[in-house]
Amino acid sequence: MSDHKKLGRQVHLPFRKSVEIAMNNIRLRLGRSTVTAFGILLGIAFLASVLVQGAVNAGIKTDMTPDAIKQQYYRQVWLVTLALLMSTIGITNSMLMSVTERFKEIGTMKCLGALDSFVVRMFILEGMFMGVLASAAGAIVGGGIMLLSAGWSLGWSSVRNVSMGQIGLILLVCLGVGTFLTFLATIAPAIRAARMPPAAALRAEI
Amino acid sequence: MATNEYVVRTKDLSKEFQLGGEVLRALKSVHLDIRRGEYISIMGPSGSGKSTLFNMIGGLDKPTSGTVFINDVDMAQLDAQELAYLRCRTIGYIFQSFNLIPVMTALENVTLPTVFAGTPTDDGIERGIELLNTVGLGERLHHKPNELSGGQQQRVAIARALANSPSIVLADEPTGNLDLKTGKEIIELLKKLNKEQNVTIISATHDLKMLDVSDRVLWIRDGGIERVEERADLDIKVGELEGE
């Protein structure tokens, strides 16, 4: 008996396999995943639109006083913060739900030899897929709409002043912020799920 | 010689739960030795502590005091990695509610433990197919759990429990959610695997059909072992039951 007296330490979950499981879980709960993703999408779209608006405004002359500009700036920061906070809470809530309804599954996985880290990884991956996709979509939608509406109301020359580099930077910032917030929102539920002793996870009734 | 004879030993095993302000003693210093290759049934009414005992032996919960040895390894001394390894390779679990992973097919469910064990994918799949054939589900490899009947799901669960050739299979009320006939089939399957593969089967149950196939029966009451019956005593008992 190889496991006699001395136990080995090797349990594995190949990355490819955890990606597969995470994708399956998203697909199975497509309705809720879409709603969650929309929360992120809207928050990031708002961020993107504000950033693009700033970029457009920087290129045109304004008769606003410096104080008024400052005030407008702070108001926008406040609104963006609120929007992002709301979507982060939304993701956390939906991840908590997703974790709770899967207590049994998590307990089973641990019985089969899964480490806590496998469970965390699966939930993080699941969150990140939604986060990255929704952030990218949000950035494109929000930025795009703002560019169009600026072009419409202020004239297309104002839009042409915004360089591709600026647009690229805005997309990158949006993607980064969205992904980071999703990560933050996912980590707590994931760890909570992973730390449960298998017996308690299996006993859980929902 | 004595070292290899017992696959599970418990010493002074106790477990307490905090319920509100009160302490519930679910297990009261249980001593238990289970020999390699035995088919053991842990019988008792619900609330008697049999599921708690099951969880302790399976390393699914930590005892309040006392020790559990699996293959002479003290489970309390294991770190998270080693415990996961033990659950993965040494113990197979079967549950009352089957607990298959709903997003995975029968074959994927059965191969999952081999993935954790680091078996190459092709070997794992081969093993999975072989096991599903053994439990009579060779035709349903790619069905999801919700496309299978209760009995079939439990067969998948049994195949999954055997994936890494464990030395112990722990079954918690394996027939609890099944009708009489299906339950009987599952018990026969477990007995067959016990005989052919010499895997130790420990089953917590209150299904009297289990008596028939058990080498020993442990009667649990109020967190302690009330009595232990050997095969010889059982034959008489079962005869009496059937005679009635």
Side-chain angles (χ1 to χ4, degrees), chain B residues 203-218:
Chain B
S203 170
T205 183
H206 49 232
D207 186 345
L208 290 172
K209 295 193 289 299
M210 277 277 188
L211 289 178
D212 218 5
V213 295
S214 306
D215 296 321
R216 269 200 299 166
V217 178
L218 235 67

Side-chain angles (χ1 to χ4, degrees), chain A residues 52-69:
Chain A
V52 167
Q53 192 188 25
V56 172
N57 284 349
I60 47 178
K61 284 204 174 75
T62 166
D63 47 9
M64 282 210 288
T65 62
D67 263 358
I69 292 178

Side-chain angles (χ1 to χ4, degrees), chain A residues 4 27 102 129 153 167-168 183:
Chain A
H4 185 61
R27 211 178 317 136
R102 266 186 274 169
F129 276 124
S153 56
I167 298 283
F183 180 76

Side-chain angles (χ1 to χ4, degrees), chain B:
Chain B
M1 193 52 221
T3 49
N4 212 21
E5 188 181 353
Y6 294 109
V7 64
V8 177
R9 286 187 300 142
T10 72
K11 252 189 203 155
D12 267 329
L13 192 64
S14 298
K15 176 72 178 176
E16 292 170 0
F17 291 104
Q18 292 284 339
L19 271 186
E22 284 178 44
V23 177
L24 177 78
R25 297 187 65 201
L27 282 182
K28 299 166 190 165
S29 65
V30 171
H31 288 270
L32 176 63
D33 295 317
I34 297 174
R35 284 185 290 271
R36 204 168 290 285
E38 252 188 322
Y39 191 124
I40 284 219
S41 291
I42 305 173
M43 292 261 178
S46 49
S48 58
K50 61 181 187 308
S51 284
T52 310
L53 180 59
F54 175 93
N55 288 337
M56 299 295 136
I57 295 175
L60 303 181
D61 212 347
K62 286 187 163 51
T64 310
S65 64
T67 35
V68 179
F69 298 93
I70 302 284
N71 289 327
D72 288 316
V73 177
D74 179 358
M75 247 198 284
Q77 305 296 324
L78 302 180
D79 63 23
Q81 282 261 351
E82 290 166 324
L83 202 57
Y85 183 91
L86 180 96
R87 289 187 196 129
C88 182
R89 311 263 189 137
T90 313
I91 307 177
Y93 303 85
I94 300 168
F95 305 95
Q96 177 173 4
S97 48
F98 324 130
N99 290 5
L100 300 176
I101 312 288
V103 294
M104 296 184 181
T105 63
L107 184 58
E108 284 169 337
N109 263 288
V110 178
T111 47
L112 189 60
T114 68
V115 173
F116 290 152
T119 315
T121 312
D122 290 342
D123 297 354
I125 289 175
E126 203 175 304
R127 173 87 179 139
I129 294 173
E130 179 196 318
L131 281 167
L132 282 167
N133 274 321
T134 311
V135 299
L137 284 178
E139 307 289 303
R140 305 202 168 254
L141 301 177
H142 303 295
H143 286 61
K144 293 259 171 74
N146 60 7
E147 297 159 351
L148 298 169
S149 72
Q152 288 170 335
Q153 289 189 46
Q154 196 59 302
R155 283 165 190 273
V156 177
I158 292 174
R160 183 178 66 181
L162 294 169
N164 290 325
S165 311
S167 35
I168 310 161
V169 167
L170 278 172
D172 191 7
E173 303 275 5
T175 58
N177 277 5
L178 302 173
D179 62 60
L180 217 69
K181 183 169 160 287
T182 320
K184 210 164 179 187
E185 283 167 15
I186 292 294
I187 292 173
E188 274 159 16
L189 175 61
L190 284 173
K191 183 64 191 177
K192 187 177 131 209
L193 296 168
N194 166 247
K195 268 190 182 152
E196 287 173 2
Q197 313 197 359
N198 199 33
V199 52
T200 312
I201 298 203
I202 305 170
S203 170
T205 183
H206 49 232
D207 186 345
L208 290 172
K209 295 193 289 299
M210 277 277 188
L211 289 178
D212 218 5
V213 295
S214 306
D215 296 321
R216 269 200 299 166
V217 178
L218 235 67
W219 296 85
I220 302 259
R221 184 171 283 274
D222 293 331
I225 298 178
E226 193 182 38
R227 63 180 196 275
V228 181
E229 289 176 320
E230 300 281 338
R231 181 73 244 172
D233 313 328
L234 285 165
D235 280 337
I236 306 164
K237 262 277 187 50
V238 174
E240 277 173 7
L241 277 176
E242 280 168 355
E244 277 167 17

Side-chain angles (χ1 to χ4, degrees), chain A residues 17-85:
Chain A
K17 191 76 189 172
S18 36
V19 169
E20 197 185 306
I21 296 173
M23 290 307 269
N24 271 337
N25 276 321
I26 293 180
R27 211 178 317 136
L28 195 82
R29 297 170 179 81
L30 199 60
R32 174 142 28 92
S33 308
T34 314
V35 173
T36 315
F38 246 88
I40 311 167
L41 191 151
L42 292 176
I44 294 302
F46 187 58
L47 172 66
S49 69
V50 169
L51 289 176
V52 167
Q53 192 188 25
V56 172
N57 284 349
I60 47 178
K61 284 204 174 75
T62 166
D63 47 9
M64 282 210 288
T65 62
D67 263 358
I69 292 178
K70 219 180 200 172
Q71 215 171 27
Q72 191 192 26
Y73 172 75
Y74 283 127
R75 197 165 50 231
Q76 277 174 345
V77 167
W78 171 237
L79 284 175
V80 167
T81 311
L82 269 187
L84 292 178
L85 201 66

Side-chain angles (χ1 to χ4, degrees), chain A residues 122-185:
Chain A
M122 262 164 19
F123 280 101
I124 298 273
L125 275 174
E126 204 178 312
M128 293 320 264
F129 276 124
M130 291 195 294
V132 169
L133 272 180
S135 308
I140 291 166
V141 169
I145 289 178
M146 190 41 80
L147 279 180
L148 287 178
S149 81
W152 191 260
S153 56
L154 302 170
W156 295 101
S157 61
S158 69
V159 173
R160 247 171 270 130
N161 281 336
V162 183
S163 71
M164 281 319 275
Q166 273 176 299
I167 298 283
L169 191 67
I170 289 173
L171 285 181
L172 219 62
V173 166
C174 288
L175 200 62
V177 169
T179 310
F180 177 68
L181 289 181
T182 318
F183 180 76
L184 276 190

